[in-house]
Amino acid sequence: MEVMQVLHMNGGMGETSYANNSLLQRMVILMTKPITEAAITALFSAADTAFHASLAIADLGCSSGPNTLFAMSEIITIMINLCEATNSKLPEFQVFLNDLPGNDFNTIFSSLLPRFQEKLSEQMKGKYGASATLSCFFNGVPGSFYGRLFARESLHLIYSSYSLHWLSQIPRGLEGNKGNIYIARSSPPEVIRAYYEQFQRDFSTFLECRGQELVMGGFMVLTLMGRRSDDPSSKECCSIWELLAVALNQMVSEGLIEEEKLDSFNIPNYTPSPKEVQPEVQKQGSFSINCLEVSEVDWSKIDSDFDPNVVSEDGGYHLSRCIRAVAEPLVVHHFGEEIIDEVFKRCKAQLAARMSTENPTFVNVVISLKKVA
């Protein structure tokens, strides 16, 4: 599987779209806002990174949906408030929205962006009067962030939320991981090592590229799905893929999926611990670490906060839709469209069973970095 061609969230605005099933990601953006605000305040205050007339921001792994522009709205609002508090002139904003080529950029620019710009204009007029304007220029940048995307020293702030746990490729050497689609308790040591080493290569490449693209003193705020535990096979980071694997294995046992098909399906994902993130930053050498924190979101919050008008007879309904919005393109590419509804029906049942006996969480690793070399 060529990850760059296949990996993207469900596009459009339909029932199973990422745009309508990304509450978890929105929650994480809000949870990490204080860290983002601290980075922007430091950038604003630093004389050596004065951006004068314009501020260049990149959202890496922007996906498609309200969260794409929600994150940028939060950043722009922080800047507006800082300028107001210090009686400073607002810069022009140059915003770069990056994701892989399969991302639904059309929905962003044809449907979401016009409404966003209108709302931003109303916000400015409400704050500064009818004649107030805000210069904000948006650009789509398709391509992998595991390579150069921007000119040298052209960006002031890089933001990425829930993207960097996706790998550039399926690790090699996973042949012994039969019956699993990711790291699991039954995975042999060489499989766990293969995933970790792929993450090391990818994250190091990411840091090297961004180190070239950021101005000196520029900031990065990165949030990854991760784990607290030192064990890469711990429940806190592997449960979702484990439950999807259970659903797929059930279908193998019933003859609905070929066993060989399942054994050749692997998720290009790695959820690191802070202890795995920190040394990669230090080894690469371009950045100082301002903040490295871990937070959690209960699975039950996804269902309880999603839509009070939609009542589900059991747990896992909305969470299963969130997972489907993320994983469906990968599953369809490998197994075909015919089985997709049945796969996620069974996955929902597995989620509900787990949530009825446990209180599982998503773990987030957030790191704020400043370019120093």
Side-chain angles (χ1 to χ4, degrees), residues 33-339:
K33 183 179 175 180
I35 295 172
T36 304
E37 188 165 5
I40 296 170
T41 302
L43 177 67
F44 182 85
S45 305
D48 58 337
T49 56
F51 35 79
H52 305 295
S54 66
L55 176 68
I57 309 166
D59 183 353
L60 305 185
C62 66
S63 193
S64 175
N67 290 344
T68 299
L69 299 173
F70 177 65
M72 291 301 99
S73 173
E74 293 292 300
I75 289 170
I76 291 169
T77 299
I78 291 167
M79 277 299 307
I80 291 172
N81 292 338
L82 284 170
C83 289
E84 182 183 28
T86 58
N87 199 28
S88 302
K89 184 180 179 181
L90 269 175
E92 293 185 334
F93 293 92
Q94 186 86 3
V95 179
F96 299 97
L97 303 176
N98 157 259
D99 213 313
L100 292 173
N103 185 52
D104 186 7
F105 285 101
N106 286 339
T107 294
I108 296 174
F109 285 95
S110 65
S111 176
L112 300 173
L113 185 57
R115 292 201 298 268
F116 171 80
Q117 289 174 317
E118 185 179 340
K119 183 178 176 183
L120 207 56
S121 176
E122 290 172 359
Q123 179 184 340
M124 284 296 294
K125 288 175 181 177
K127 205 175 201 30
Y128 297 108
S131 61
T133 58
L134 179 68
S135 297
C136 194
F137 306 96
F138 284 83
N139 306 268
V141 184
S144 172
F145 51 50
Y146 294 124
R148 284 286 302 277
L149 292 166
F150 306 99
R152 190 176 296 274
E153 297 188 352
S154 62
L155 300 175
H156 300 97
L157 177 68
I158 293 173
Y159 179 86
S160 182
S161 184
Y162 262 40
S163 297
L164 275 163
H165 48 264
W166 292 106
L167 301 174
S168 67
Q169 64 180 55
I170 303 291
R172 297 182 180 180
L174 304 184
E175 293 79 12
N177 205 29
K178 296 188 183 302
N180 301 314
I181 63 173
Y182 180 59
I183 295 171
R185 289 289 184 187
S186 59
S187 297
E190 59 268 22
V191 167
I192 297 173
R193 184 167 58 250
Y195 268 103
Y196 174 51
E197 289 176 353
Q198 185 63 52
F199 167 76
Q200 285 182 302
R201 286 190 294 272
D202 283 347
F203 193 50
S204 175
T205 299
F206 175 89
L207 293 171
E208 185 66 32
C209 293
R210 306 296 83 81
Q212 295 178 53
E213 295 164 351
L214 269 175
V215 300
M216 189 64 67
F219 279 80
M220 283 204 297
V221 179
L222 314 173
T223 304
L224 303 81
M225 191 175 283
R227 66 181 196 276
R228 294 182 186 275
S229 171
D230 290 338
D231 179 6
S233 66
S234 67
K235 238 182 205 184
E236 65 181 0
C237 60
C238 299
S239 287
I240 289 295
W241 303 124
E242 173 199 337
L243 297 179
L244 180 56
V246 169
L248 291 168
N249 273 288
Q250 287 177 346
M251 295 177 73
V252 168
S253 68
E254 295 171 23
L256 300 174
I257 293 174
E258 295 178 6
E259 187 174 4
E260 293 77 12
K261 267 289 193 188
L262 175 58
D263 288 341
S264 61
F265 181 60
N266 297 284
I267 299 293
N269 186 287
Y270 187 78
T271 46
S273 69
K275 289 181 181 178
E276 291 173 333
V277 171
Q278 183 174 353
E280 296 306 315
V281 175
Q282 293 169 334
K283 184 168 59 178
Q284 194 278 326
S286 295
F287 302 94
S288 63
I289 299 175
N290 287 346
C291 173
L292 179 57
E293 294 186 2
V294 177
S295 61
E296 295 181 0
V297 178
D298 290 349
W299 287 12
S300 59
K301 284 284 285 180
I302 312 301
D303 268 30
S304 61
D305 288 12
F306 201 100
D307 185 349
N309 297 315
V310 176
V311 179
S312 174
E313 70 279 6
D314 53 26
Y317 174 76
H318 293 298
L319 180 55
S320 68
R321 285 178 51 175
C322 289
I323 295 166
R324 178 169 180 168
V326 171
E328 181 169 347
L330 295 172
V331 177
V332 166
H333 176 78
H334 193 80
F335 296 101
E337 291 189 14
E338 297 79 12
I339 66 162

Side-chain angles (χ1 to χ4, degrees), residues 348-369:
K348 173 184 165 296
Q350 293 297 323
L351 289 166
R354 177 65 58 87
M355 293 168 69
S356 70
T357 58
E358 300 177 23
N359 185 31
T361 62
F362 291 106
V363 178
N364 314 304
V365 176
V366 57
I367 185 167
S368 175
L369 304 171

